[in-house]
């Protein structure tokens, strides 16, 4: 076989392998996208009407699009219901690890009304459930410390700050204990977003919070 023919066959073989590799990558990306889409479509919608949507947020999922990922409950709900402006639907947030119900607005009037209800404590009552490793020493308690943003670690982390922190108070009571885990009901009275988990970790070892 001449050197020219060998060179030509080598180039052809390399080109075929390159096309197969490219096709494989494209197929893999399509598969990953399809699987992600399927997973995102499994979000449970508890209620929806012409004004609001109530969705059940699973744990370990962003409430709204973030810097690290565009995948979020708000984005998923927007795709499911054809909402063009995600920011016009967001009423409140739950932190990444927390599960629970989230309400989304479908129009400006609903958004304004819901924001007003969240600002007025007499209109609604937030209740969280936390699973805490171990048995609590007391059946009820009141955790109150001044919290501020942890600038060294960045958002959404908090730290106890007795100088610049704002009051964060949460009432809690044990409602069940089984297999080494206490189920605790938490009612935030004052404070900052996402602080219920932080307040618990100031006293207890580990917790998973659902709402």
């Amino acid at each position: 076989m001449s050197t020219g023919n060998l060179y030509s066959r080598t180039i052809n073989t390399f080109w075929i392998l390159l096309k197969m590799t490219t096709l494989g990558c494209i197929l893999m990306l399509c598969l990953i996208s399809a699987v992600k889409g399927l997973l995102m479509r499994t979000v449970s919608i508890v209620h929806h009407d012409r004004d609001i949507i109530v969705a059940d947020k699973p744990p370990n999922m962003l409430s709204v699009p973030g810097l690290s990922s565009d995948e979020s409950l708000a984005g998923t709900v927007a795709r499911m219901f054809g909402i063009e402006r995600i920011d016009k639907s967001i009423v409140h947030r739950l932190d990444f690890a927390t599960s629970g119900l989230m309400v989304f607005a479908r129009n400006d009037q609903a958004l304004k009304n819901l924001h007003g209800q969240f600002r007025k404590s007499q209109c609604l009552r937030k209740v969280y459930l936390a699973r805490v490793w171990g048995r609590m020493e007391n059946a009820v308690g009141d955790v109150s410390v001044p919290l501020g943003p942890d600038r060294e670690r960045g958002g959404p982390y908090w730290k106890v700050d007795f100088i610049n922190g704002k009051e964060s108070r949460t009432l809690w009571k044990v409602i069940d204990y089984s297999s080494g885990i206490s189920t605790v009901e938490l009612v935030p009275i004052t404070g900052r977003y996402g602080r219920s988990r932080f307040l618990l970790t100031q006293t207890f070892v580990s917790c998973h919070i659902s709402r």
Side-chain angles (χ1 to χ4, degrees):
M1 181 181 297
S2 66
T3 303
N5 289 337
L6 179 60
Y7 177 78
S8 178
R9 287 192 176 188
T10 302
I11 293 298
N12 288 336
T13 301
F14 176 77
W15 181 245
I16 292 173
L17 290 174
L18 180 62
K19 289 194 293 184
M20 291 177 63
T21 303
T22 303
L23 179 61
C25 290
I26 294 174
L27 291 175
M28 182 60 69
L29 290 174
C30 290
L31 178 61
I32 292 173
S33 178
V35 170
K36 286 178 67 176
L38 180 61
L39 290 175
M40 299 306 287
R41 284 194 294 271
T42 60
V43 168
S44 175
I45 302 299
V46 178
H47 170 82
H48 68 93
D49 54 37
R50 65 180 183 180
D51 294 313
I52 67 170
I53 302 165
V54 181
D56 189 1
K57 176 188 170 302
N60 301 322
M61 182 181 193
L62 291 173
S63 293
V64 300
L67 295 176
S68 59
S69 175
D70 289 333
E71 294 296 345
S72 65
L73 181 63
T76 302
V77 170
R79 287 193 294 270
M80 293 173 67
F81 289 89
I83 299 174
E84 296 182 358
R85 291 281 302 274
I86 296 179
D87 59 313
K88 290 286 189 177
S89 68
I90 298 171
V91 177
H92 63 115
R93 293 170 173 82
L94 295 178
D95 69 6
F96 180 76
T98 301
S99 61
L101 299 180
M102 285 188 62
V103 183
F104 297 91
R106 302 190 71 173
N107 54 65
D108 291 343
Q109 185 58 41
L111 183 66
K112 180 179 179 180
N113 188 289
L114 289 168
H115 276 164
Q117 293 184 51
F118 270 81
R119 282 193 294 267
K120 298 176 181 178
S121 58
Q122 65 267 28
C123 291
L124 57 85
R125 179 173 178 262
K126 296 180 182 179
V127 178
Y128 295 83
L129 296 179
R131 296 184 181 94
V132 181
W133 291 108
R135 184 185 292 274
M136 312 286 277
E137 293 183 359
N138 301 308
V140 297
D142 183 340
V143 183
S144 181
V145 292
L147 296 184
D150 190 336
R151 303 193 185 281
E152 293 183 1
R153 301 175 66 192
Y157 297 104
W158 302 92
K159 67 177 182 179
V160 176
D161 187 343
F162 289 99
I163 299 176
N164 300 313
K166 295 185 178 181
E167 180 188 6
S168 284
R169 183 187 179 200
T170 295
L171 305 179
W172 61 267
K173 66 178 179 180
V174 178
I175 59 176
D176 185 53
Y177 175 79
S178 178
S179 302
I181 298 177
S182 299
T183 301
V184 185
E185 180 184 274
L186 301 105
V187 179
I189 305 300
T190 60
R192 311 289 291 177
Y193 163 74
R195 83 279 188 218
S196 292
R197 183 189 310 278
F198 182 86
L199 290 175
L200 278 179
T201 57
Q202 295 304 293
T203 309
F204 314 111
V205 178
S206 178
C207 67
H208 168 75
I209 295 181
S210 60
R211 185 178 179 184

